[in-house]
Amino acid sequence: MIRFVTGNEGKVREAREYLDEPVEQVPYDYTEIQGELEEIALYGARETFAETDGDEPVLVDDTGLFVEALDGFPGAYSSFVEDTLGIERIPDLVADEGNRRAAFRTVMVYYDGETAETFEGNVRGRIVEPRGEGGFGYDPVFEHDGETFAEMDTAAKNAISHRGRALERFADWLAER
Ligand code: IMP
């Protein structure tokens, strides 16, 4: 059983689709410190392990969208920017820049109370006007190989996405233990 710490149903759907092991969602709202994705995920994993019932390991996923023309913004602030500006404003921000390149990056931390393992995944793409009904978050404005993530089903997104890559590394590590 994997205890996946997130309030985000989309992340849980993708983890369940990818992993063979059952995934339990732990909707604990850990403190999001200011810092790099690794620091945020590690702090969240430690706090959740200490504050929630159960001594099973926890898995935390921290993800950011990094827009090249904006020097990597919103990055670790992606959640705040989605809640304040909204994703529809992101294409406007790059419209005059002549550079639509962006990347998603996920850092997953698996913490068992003693040691922490980190798994990372990245994907490159471009910022476009919103298209598609699937996915979540910034998926409608992130295009990879001609399709936005919101136009892909969960399996297709997992096959190429930041989270899919991190899950692949995590699953390989689990299998080898
Ligand atoms: P967090 O990792 O939960 O802090 O998410 C940061 C921000 O990125 C939130 O606004 C999420 O909605 C968004 N986000 C996280 N993962 C994805 C994804 O796979 N696709 C699109 N947006 C995402």
Side-chain angles (χ1 to χ4, degrees), residues 31 38 70 107 111 121 139 146 167-168 177:
T31 311
E38 290 83 354
L70 305 177
V107 174
Y111 180 66
D139 281 347
L167 285 167
E168 181 183 25
R177 270 200 317 170

Side-chain angles (χ1 to χ4, degrees), residues 11 32 62-63 79 82 104 136 138-139 157 162-163:
K11 289 185 181 180
E32 285 230 3
D62 204 59
T63 296
S79 184
E82 182 183 348
F104 269 118
F136 66 94
Y138 293 92
D139 281 347
K157 180 182 167 189
H162 49 306
R163 183 162 301 101

Side-chain angles (χ1 to χ4, degrees), residues 73-84:
F73 183 80
Y77 304 101
S78 297
S79 184
F80 176 72
V81 168
E82 182 183 348
D83 292 346
T84 50

Side-chain angles (χ1 to χ4, degrees), residues 10 17 20 24 46 60 71 83 91 99 117 126 151 156 173:
E17 165 80 31
D20 293 332
E24 177 197 355
R46 289 210 166 106
V60 168
D71 295 333
D83 292 346
N99 174 6
E117 294 287 336
R126 34 194 311 273
E151 292 174 314
W173 176 83

Side-chain angles (χ1 to χ4, degrees), residues 55-130:
D55 45 20
E56 291 294 309
V58 292
L59 180 69
V60 168
D61 162 322
D62 204 59
T63 296
L65 174 70
F66 298 81
V67 178
E68 196 174 284
L70 305 177
D71 295 333
F73 183 80
Y77 304 101
S78 297
S79 184
F80 176 72
V81 168
E82 182 183 348
D83 292 346
T84 50
L85 282 182
I87 69 154
E88 289 80 9
R89 302 271 292 278
I90 300 295
D92 300 342
L93 295 176
V94 298
D96 297 333
E97 300 284 348
N99 174 6
R100 291 182 166 270
R101 283 195 291 273
F104 269 118
R105 179 161 176 252
T106 287
V107 174
M108 287 189 170
V109 169
Y110 188 68
Y111 180 66
D112 65 6
E114 280 176 15
T115 52
E117 294 287 336
T118 302
F119 309 92
E120 205 185 305
N122 298 282
V123 64
R124 290 177 184 279
R126 34 194 311 273
I127 300 298
V128 295
E129 292 299 326

